Amino acid sequence: MKTIYLDNNATTRVAPEVVEEMLPYFSERYGNPSSMHSFGGQVGKEIRAAREKLAGLLGARPEEIIYTSCGTESDNTAIRAALAANPGRRQVVTTRVEHPAVKSLCEHLVKEGYRVTFVPVDRSGRLDVDYLYEHMTEDTAIVSVMWANNETGVLFPVEQIARAAKERGIAFHTDAVQAVGKIPIDLSAGAIDMLSLSGHKLHGPKGIGALYVRKGTKFSPFLIGGHQESGRRGGTENTAAIIGLGRAAEFVSDHMEEENTRVKALRDRLESALLSRVTHAVVNGDPENRLPNTSNIAFEFVEGESILLMMDGHGICASSGSACTSGSLEPSHVLRAMGVPYTAAHGSIRFSLSLYNTEEEIDYVVEHLPPIIERLRQMSPFWQHACEKTA
Ligand code: PLP
């Protein structure tokens, strides 16, 4: 059975061009980039070239890039660095819909005695920017707002918020793990101090991330060890993955236009076909202002997990808007923050496309998914109840 992969916000296929570029670093080019000999030094030079490629994608300077192990480490590093740089300030401002890489850290910070403000969103997932501005105070060490939401794809006005934070002398960080590679980003002229990204979300390998730190931003390392990354992140470099991330940055940059035209058109084709064939189906999140590859659809009165299982039987991969915790299906914190009703949140499915998807694949999903929803609804007591009420 063919796999139809529509779960690219979870992880992406490593582009074959990226794999090819990485392979020599597992075999003949195994030198340590910090070594004095030229065998290792040559790898050091190649890492510098990769850093330039990644910086190019962001409109950053190469020395503003710090390699990490993943997006989660980048997020933790940024927030901890800002707190360490401003020990007198005890407040963090973030949103209610961040990825756990920021959300769980912030919840942990509360236990450590920090004050965290979680800014709400509206029914479309749009951020309450006025609320955020009202809660930036002289006690705020850092504002951390994601660029694009991983579940709904909704984009936040991070450049505008970063300028407002700068005017008040507050550091600004954005978790751009889902945005980098999908929408154009130019950090050169803006006010964003720190930005997190992750290799495996942009057709690079897993186990590599990066943190952009604007020149002049107060910073202290999270991982203390050797002098790697100019003393800002200890640990021998993951050379193959760094080379891969550099090539991936070039790859997504070359395909940015296609992402925002062909991939977006495929997403819209999928979405409009499903909405026209399935009753009681609605899009979660601002349909205008979101990533080109993401569609989050609530199929009311069915369980998302059952939809996923039945789609899996047809080789279709996607994600649901609920997580099975302690035996009960909890709707995601993102959909709850948006106020999506229980019966819709439970049946929410995230489809996230990539450059590798085709029209045939989308049509296959459109053919197989509506009967799945129909069958599940026939078995759903919620659906029976809803039908009786409207009858
Ligand atoms: N931030 C966002 C918005 C994400 O979507 C993810 C991964 O899903 C992460 C952070 C964590 O990235 P990583 O898996 O590289 O730790």
Side-chain angles (χ1 to χ4, degrees):
M1 185 170 50
K2 190 176 179 299
T3 296
I4 298 186
Y5 189 75
L6 302 180
D7 203 12
N8 287 276
N9 288 8
T11 198
T12 56
R13 171 186 176 176
V14 185
E17 297 86 327
V18 170
V19 176
E20 197 185 326
E21 195 121 338
M22 289 173 68
L23 286 177
Y25 296 86
F26 293 108
S27 49
E28 67 266 25
R29 293 192 205 168
Y30 57 83
N32 187 324
S34 301
S35 295
M36 289 302 287
H37 45 72
S38 53
F39 182 64
Q42 183 57 32
V43 177
K45 275 192 202 143
E46 284 146 12
I47 284 187
R48 279 195 285 285
R51 196 186 299 276
E52 277 169 23
K53 290 179 192 169
L54 182 59
L57 177 69
L58 304 173
R61 305 175 204 203
E63 63 275 17
E64 292 175 320
I65 304 289
I66 301 173
Y67 289 114
T68 64
S69 64
C70 57
T72 302
E73 185 190 326
S74 300
D75 287 340
N76 274 252
T77 303
I79 294 172
R80 291 276 187 199
L83 293 172
N86 299 283
R89 298 185 177 208
R90 305 290 297 169
Q91 186 207 10
V92 176
V93 176
T94 186
T95 82
R96 285 181 64 189
V97 295
E98 297 294 311
H99 184 274
V102 169
K103 179 179 174 277
S104 301
L105 170 65
C106 286
E107 287 162 357
H108 195 79
L109 290 173
V110 172
K111 290 188 195 143
E112 291 180 26
Y114 289 96
R115 208 157 48 82
V116 181
T117 302
F118 293 94
V119 179
V121 295
D122 69 10
R123 185 68 176 78
S124 299
R126 283 181 293 244
L127 194 65
D128 188 340
V129 178
D130 292 335
Y131 184 100
L132 190 152
Y133 290 169
E134 282 159 23
H135 285 79
M136 285 198 276
T137 68
E138 289 186 350
D139 196 34
T140 312
I142 183 165
V143 176
S144 179
V145 174
M146 70 197 322
W147 200 313
N149 188 272
N150 44 300
E151 292 189 28
T152 60
V154 171
L155 299 167
F156 287 157
V158 288
E159 285 161 313
Q160 176 199 323
I161 299 168
R163 279 192 297 276
K166 184 162 250 128
E167 280 164 18
R168 293 160 172 85
I170 300 170
F172 181 83
H173 162 253
T174 182
D175 175 345
V177 164
Q178 292 295 343
V180 173
K182 295 179 188 141
I183 56 169
I185 288 179
D186 180 7
L187 297 170
S188 61
I192 292 169
D193 296 312
M194 291 185 273
L195 173 145
S196 303
L197 64 91
S198 176
H200 72 107
K201 309 287 186 180
L202 51 127
H203 301 290
K206 294 173 183 59
I208 186 75
L211 178 65
Y212 157 86
V213 181
R214 181 180 295 280
K215 195 166 182 274
T217 305
K218 284 193 217 159
F219 183 81
S220 56
F222 184 56
L223 275 195
I224 297 170
H227 57 268
Q228 293 89 356
E229 300 300 300
S230 309
R232 294 174 300 177
R233 198 268 187 184
T236 299
E237 295 87 342
N238 185 352
T239 49
I242 290 173
I243 299 295
L245 179 54
R247 184 68 187 90
E250 267 181 347
F251 177 81
V252 289
S253 175
D254 292 347
H255 291 87
M256 188 75 70
E257 167 104 22
E258 187 184 347
E259 178 86 32
N260 286 277
T261 51
R262 190 183 68 81
V263 176
K264 183 170 182 289
L266 287 181
R267 188 274 312 268
D268 292 344
R269 181 186 180 100
L270 173 72
E271 194 171 88
S272 59
L274 291 177
L275 293 183
S276 70
R277 279 162 210 230
V278 182
T279 62
H280 293 85
V282 280
V283 173
N284 289 318
D286 182 355
E288 300 309 321
N289 196 23
R290 63 180 162 155
L291 290 172
N293 78 320
T294 308
S295 175
N296 190 313
I297 304 182
F299 300 102
E300 292 179 278
F301 309 111
V302 262
E303 291 289 356
E305 268 57 29
S306 312
I307 304 174
L308 288 186
L309 276 176
M310 290 184 76
M311 285 203 298
D312 196 40
H314 291 280
I316 304 165
C317 309
S319 278
S320 79
S322 49
C324 190
T325 41
S326 58
S328 69
L329 284 173
E330 267 295 300
S332 87
H333 69 283
V334 175
L335 300 180
R336 267 185 290 145
M338 289 163 62
V340 175
Y342 182 88
T343 46
H346 270 293
S348 291
I349 301 291
R350 177 188 72 187
F351 303 95
S352 48
L353 282 64
S354 85
L355 299 160
Y356 293 111
N357 290 123
T358 63
E359 217 167 274
E360 290 70 40
E361 289 180 330
I362 297 303
D363 293 346
Y364 178 89
V365 178
V366 169
E367 183 190 335
H368 288 90
L369 183 52
I372 289 176
I373 306 288
E374 180 61 33
R375 219 171 318 145
L376 288 171
R377 278 186 178 157
Q378 293 313 320
M379 297 188 270
S380 158
F382 298 116
W383 178 249
Q384 307 297 343
H385 184 67
C387 291
E388 279 160 22
K389 263 174 63 180
T390 50

